Amino acid sequence: MIRPHHDLAAVLIALAVCSVATAEIETVRFTEVDNGGVSDEFLDLAGTRTTDLFIDFSGDLGGQQLLVELEAGRMINHPLGDPQGDAPSEALKLVSPTAAFDTSLSATGPGESTQDGWLVFGGAASLQGGVGAVEFSETRLSVAFAPPIGQTIAGQADFPVLRLTLSDDAEGTFTYLGDTSAPAPPQVFAFPIVAGEVRQPIDEPESGDFNGDGRVDNNDLNLLLNNWGRVTLNAAWTRPVTVPVDNDELNALLNDWGAGLTPVPEPSATLAALTLLAINHLRPLHRR
């Protein structure tokens, strides 16, 4: 399981050591888990949703970072759970069945799951607003973690990272940073949290309907401008995106402008002027 590690310098050294093999985080996905709205004397899970985060990756796993920020609702933390977010023990689950759905970093130690390897807390914080230590509350989770020195976690599918339980009124942003043995910058993925659900990527061309209301209009333009360059998104942004928000999202907005409106207008001079004004005043970004 993920275990506290007090030698932060050692972990940072481990993060710095990488091979030249091509490697990447190939898939970041969420699977909803039925918690049955179970309750016991310690916790009531009625009105909550539980989601597990899995990754597929090639090469050797390096540093990882999670940043969950809620603007409404709350993360469900079991009162007897580990304050740093370590996975609950089997003994605790026997005492309190609701502990199985505690918001926690997944157990990945040998003998505790099918995964090979385990992870320790600590590492560099690359996400805007993140911390290298552990920050864990009802509205914010920020943690960096990595394999310990001498431990290699080779490419795997369905590697468990996090179990997240949210109230069904939770709104916010889920951001994941994953690093591998590739000599390239870590990959960053951002997902909106809407009504207690982490919105997953969809298999269709990127849409300019950033707020998910079925129309591409000034509301989406305002979201684009308000989130330009960010890796953590405003909760009103309901479309998954590979961050930072940049020209890819701008092109999607322009291509879809007017969709869902009757009649569908051509991109207006006003939109073009606003776009040019925004770009002239925003720092250029380069997507990896």
Side-chain angles (χ1 to χ4, degrees):
M1 64 173 55
I2 297 179
R3 303 171 186 184
H5 194 284
H6 300 293
D7 189 355
L8 181 57
V11 175
L12 291 172
I13 293 172
L15 287 174
V17 177
C18 62
S19 73
V20 296
T22 300
E24 63 179 352
I25 306 295
E26 297 168 348
T27 306
V28 176
R29 64 178 173 278
F30 303 87
T31 300
E32 187 155 357
V33 178
D34 181 11
N35 62 33
V38 64
S39 63
D40 55 35
E41 61 182 306
F42 300 101
L43 190 62
D44 184 356
L45 293 176
T48 68
R49 304 182 70 158
T50 298
T51 302
D52 284 349
L53 167 66
F54 296 91
I55 61 172
D56 300 341
F57 65 96
S58 56
D60 296 337
L61 192 64
Q64 300 179 78
Q65 193 177 349
L66 289 170
L67 181 59
V68 183
E69 296 181 301
L70 298 183
E71 298 178 10
R74 63 190 181 96
M75 276 180 280
I76 308 302
N77 300 321
H78 195 279
L80 301 182
D82 188 291
Q84 290 190 303
D86 206 355
S89 67
E90 293 302 318
L92 179 57
K93 294 176 188 178
L94 290 175
V95 172
S96 174
T98 58
F101 304 100
D102 186 25
T103 294
S104 55
L105 295 161
S106 300
T108 56
E112 297 173 2
S113 74
T114 59
Q115 305 302 328
D116 180 22
W118 53 284
L119 301 166
V120 295
F121 288 125
S126 300
L127 295 178
Q128 179 181 354
V131 296
V134 180
E135 187 175 337
F136 192 47
S137 70
E138 288 190 343
T139 58
R140 179 177 165 88
L141 167 61
S142 180
V143 60
F145 49 105
I149 293 176
Q151 177 73 54
T152 298
I153 303 180
Q156 295 185 28
D158 296 323
F159 187 87
V161 177
L162 177 74
R163 169 157 290 186
L164 178 67
T165 299
L166 300 170
S167 61
D168 56 15
D169 61 347
E171 307 279 339
T173 302
F174 185 108
T175 309
Y176 166 77
L177 177 148
D179 198 9
T180 61
S181 54
Q187 294 163 273
V188 180
F189 306 83
F191 308 90
I193 297 172
V194 180
E197 175 189 7
V198 182
R199 293 288 174 90
Q200 304 188 54
I202 52 179
D203 296 327
E204 63 182 58
E206 180 149 11
S207 167
D209 181 18
F210 303 136
N211 64 0
D213 66 357
R215 301 183 299 274
V216 180
D217 55 16
N218 286 339
N219 291 326
D220 301 295
L221 173 61
N222 289 332
L223 274 179
L224 176 70
L225 298 180
N226 290 335
N227 288 275
W228 187 266
R230 296 187 63 188
V231 297
T232 57
L233 306 179
N234 185 292
W237 188 299
T238 65
R239 302 285 297 188
V241 59
T242 300
V243 293
V245 175
D246 59 11
N247 288 338
D248 287 351
E249 288 67 48
L250 173 61
N251 288 331
L253 181 79
L254 294 175
N255 290 336
D256 291 347
W257 184 256
L261 302 176
T262 306
V264 176
E266 293 297 322
S268 67
T270 300
L271 173 65
L274 286 172
T275 300
L276 289 173
L277 180 64
I279 299 306
N280 286 336
H281 287 80
L282 295 170
R283 189 175 69 180
L285 294 168
H286 301 282
R287 188 185 293 277
R288 292 185 299 275

